[in-house]
């Protein structure tokens, strides 16, 4: 399908099969059109955004994909959520269940199932697992949805830190570059933020033909995106860890601590919510709330008076919280998150316009 929405823009729909690379520079793509014909197209800059199942990222980054769990999706009909027009989350065993409305009569139910325990849909094991292990409040509608043939869908929750390497002529964005657990639904927030940042970087460029200088200039994209991406990524990944069932008493204390912190209201609940929805994309704010939660949690355990057992429980709480958070901070890049001004690419200015330079000479 070819259409036009602007005099200088043409749109063609097809399936990209591979990148065209010559002497380390991406020149364009091979793709199949709607009729299955293999075609080639060239461009000075190729933006790769083929999602979480990307088959193009291998030559543009160092992909290390982790799949800690899967979302098992169901559509529930003719039922109501606890609070109208709001999503709901049930902290069940072995992991959370998310509900949100998708139409006036339908509710999407997403059951987070650990990857190592994923039953088969085809032989009925998944339906049995959902009936016996998952007991949400919307019981009748939930059972009806399970028994409806073809209503169970499975999507892997992938986690992949951004680890791009400079490739002249190409740029990665969206889930092809970076993924986080889907429990907070932050993927599109990060993707749209990527688009805005990239738009602002491309705006002053009038000539994309000189691939190497353009590539070095666009390297700043990977640092400029960090406030939004790292905040949402870390929150999503940490929350799925915290709210997955565990026999560790320190993890249970951490769950109660986080919920108690949100119940404090005011800047505590608002700050955490603002970070979750992308209104406060700040790693420093993330660090502030982490330390606030830690202080609140230890204080909870020590009151009404400290004892050796309470001190030990507080120490274990801090250890567990740190062991969850710090690896994600490390994978996101401590320097890019908290000290972006020290990254050389942060200061790069657009390459000079060749036509303008020649005219001046």
């Amino acid at each position: 399908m070819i259409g036009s929405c602007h005099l200088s823009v043409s749109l063609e729909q097809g399936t990209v099969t591979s990148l065209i690379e010559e002497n380390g520079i991406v020149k364009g793509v091979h793709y199949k059109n709607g009729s299955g014909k293999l075609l080639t197209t060239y461009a000075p800059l190729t933006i790769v955004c083929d999602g979480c199942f990307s088959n193009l990222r291998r030559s543009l980054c160092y992909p290390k994909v982790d799949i800690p769990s899967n979302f098992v999706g169901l559509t529930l009909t003719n039922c109501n959520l606890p609070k109208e027009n709001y999503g709901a989350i049930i902290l069940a065993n072995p992991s959370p269940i998310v509900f949100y409305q998708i139409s006036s009569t339908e509710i999407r139910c997403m059951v987070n199932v650990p990857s190592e325990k994923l039953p088969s849909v085809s032989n009925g094991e998944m339906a049995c697992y959902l009936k016996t292990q998952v007991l949400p409040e919307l019981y009748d509608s939930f059972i009806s949805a399970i028994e409806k043939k073809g209503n169970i869908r499975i999507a892997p929750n992938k986690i992949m830190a951004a680890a791009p390497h400079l490739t002249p002529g190409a740029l990665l964005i969206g889930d092809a570059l970076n993924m986080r657990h889907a429990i907070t639904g932050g993927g599109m927030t990060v993707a749209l933020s990527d688009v805005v940042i990239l738009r602002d970087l491309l705006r002053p460029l009038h000539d994309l033909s000189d691939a190497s200088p353009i590539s070095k200039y666009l390297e700043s994209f990977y640092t400029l995106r960090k406030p939004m991406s790292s905040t949402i990524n870390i929150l999503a990944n940490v929350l799925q860890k915290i709210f997955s069932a565990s026999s560790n008493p320190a993890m249970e204390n951490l769950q109660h601590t986080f919920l108690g912190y949100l119940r404090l209201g005011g800047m505590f609940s608002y700050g955490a919510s603002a970070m979750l929805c992308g209104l406060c994309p700040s790693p420093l704010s993330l660090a502030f709330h982490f330390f606030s939660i830690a202080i609140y949690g230890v204080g909870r355990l020590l009151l009404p008076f400290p004892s050796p057992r309470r001190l030990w429980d507080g120490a274990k709480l801090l250890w567990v919280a740190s062991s969850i958070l710090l690896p994600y901070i490390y994978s996101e890049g401590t320097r890019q998150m908290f000290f972006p001004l020290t990254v050389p690419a942060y200061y790069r200015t657009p390459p000079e316009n060749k036509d303008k330079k020649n005219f001046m000479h």
Side-chain angles (χ1 to χ4, degrees):
M1 181 180 70
I2 299 178
S4 177
C5 57
H6 192 277
L7 293 176
S8 60
V9 175
S10 62
L11 173 68
E12 183 155 351
Q13 185 171 313
T15 302
V16 176
T17 58
S18 62
L19 300 173
I20 302 169
E21 193 169 337
E22 298 175 7
N23 300 320
I25 299 175
V26 174
K27 299 288 188 178
V29 298
H30 297 296
Y31 71 100
K32 289 183 179 179
N33 62 10
S35 61
K37 184 179 179 181
L38 187 61
L39 300 171
T40 299
T41 187
Y42 294 90
L45 179 64
T46 300
I47 298 174
V48 177
C49 50
D50 56 338
C52 64
F53 298 103
S54 174
N55 65 339
L56 302 175
R57 66 162 72 102
R58 289 187 299 273
S59 61
L60 303 175
C61 71
Y62 305 99
K64 185 180 178 182
V65 180
D66 181 28
I67 305 178
S69 65
N70 294 264
F71 263 146
V72 178
L74 300 162
T75 301
L76 312 184
T77 56
N78 301 317
C79 58
N80 298 311
L81 290 173
K83 191 170 183 179
E84 191 176 0
N85 298 323
Y86 282 82
I89 183 169
I90 296 176
L91 304 179
N93 186 351
S95 50
I97 308 167
V98 179
F99 296 93
Y100 54 92
Q101 197 155 353
I102 56 175
S103 76
S104 58
T105 59
E106 295 176 314
I107 290 172
R108 174 79 74 236
C109 169
M110 305 293 282
V111 182
N112 192 55
V113 180
S115 291
E116 65 273 12
K117 298 180 181 179
L118 187 67
S120 170
V121 174
S122 58
N123 64 9
E125 287 181 357
M126 178 60 77
C128 180
Y129 173 86
L130 293 173
K131 288 179 181 179
T132 57
Q133 299 296 321
V134 182
L135 299 173
E137 292 179 2
L138 307 175
Y139 186 82
D140 293 335
S141 298
F142 188 73
I143 293 295
S144 299
I146 294 171
E147 294 175 345
K148 185 177 179 181
K149 189 176 180 180
N151 195 35
I152 299 176
R153 297 284 188 272
I154 296 176
N157 289 312
K158 297 187 174 185
I159 295 175
M160 186 181 80
H165 56 74
L166 276 186
T167 305
L171 193 75
L172 273 171
I173 67 170
D175 281 356
L177 166 67
N178 178 211
M179 294 178 282
R180 77 291 308 149
H181 197 281
I183 192 169
T184 61
M188 283 306 300
T189 304
V190 176
L192 293 173
S193 173
D194 282 355
V195 170
V196 171
I197 293 167
L198 185 57
R199 177 204 63 187
D200 292 341
L201 285 173
L202 292 175
R203 182 171 283 153
L205 300 178
H206 302 286
D207 181 9
L208 299 174
S209 60
D210 203 347
S212 293
I214 294 296
S215 177
K216 287 182 179 179
Y217 163 65
L218 292 179
E219 186 185 10
S220 60
F221 166 76
Y222 297 120
T223 299
L224 293 172
R225 70 185 295 275
K226 279 296 175 180
M228 179 68 78
S229 65
S230 63
T231 301
I232 290 181
N233 291 349
I234 291 173
L235 274 173
N237 296 337
V238 166
L239 286 178
Q240 76 88 21
K241 279 265 192 182
I242 290 175
F243 290 119
S244 293
S246 172
S247 57
N248 185 346
M251 186 66 81
E252 292 181 7
N253 279 333
L254 191 56
Q255 293 173 0
H256 292 301
T257 294
F258 184 79
L259 293 174
Y261 183 81
L262 293 180
R263 291 193 190 101
L264 293 176
M267 63 172 288
F268 306 106
S269 61
Y270 172 78
S273 300
M275 288 189 295
L276 278 171
C277 60
L279 295 177
C280 181
S282 168
L284 290 176
S285 182
L286 181 69
F288 167 79
H289 283 282
F290 170 75
F291 286 115
S292 298
I293 290 171
I295 293 169
Y296 171 77
V298 172
R300 253 179 99 251
L301 292 172
L302 295 182
L303 294 175
F305 57 87
S307 66
R309 174 63 184 273
R310 290 174 181 270
L311 287 169
W312 177 242
D313 287 343
K316 286 196 293 185
L317 176 72
L318 290 176
W319 172 257
V320 169
S322 299
S323 66
I324 293 174
L325 178 72
L326 295 181
Y328 288 123
I329 290 179
Y330 177 78
S331 67
E332 288 291 329
T334 306
R335 184 182 180 189
Q336 287 182 305
M337 280 181 60
F338 297 106
F339 310 102
L341 296 179
T342 68
V343 180
Y346 193 88
Y347 296 96
R348 286 181 183 154
T349 56
E352 286 189 53
N353 186 347
K354 284 184 178 180
D355 295 336
K356 181 180 178 181
K357 189 175 180 181
N358 292 334
F359 176 77
M360 290 175 67
H361 280 302

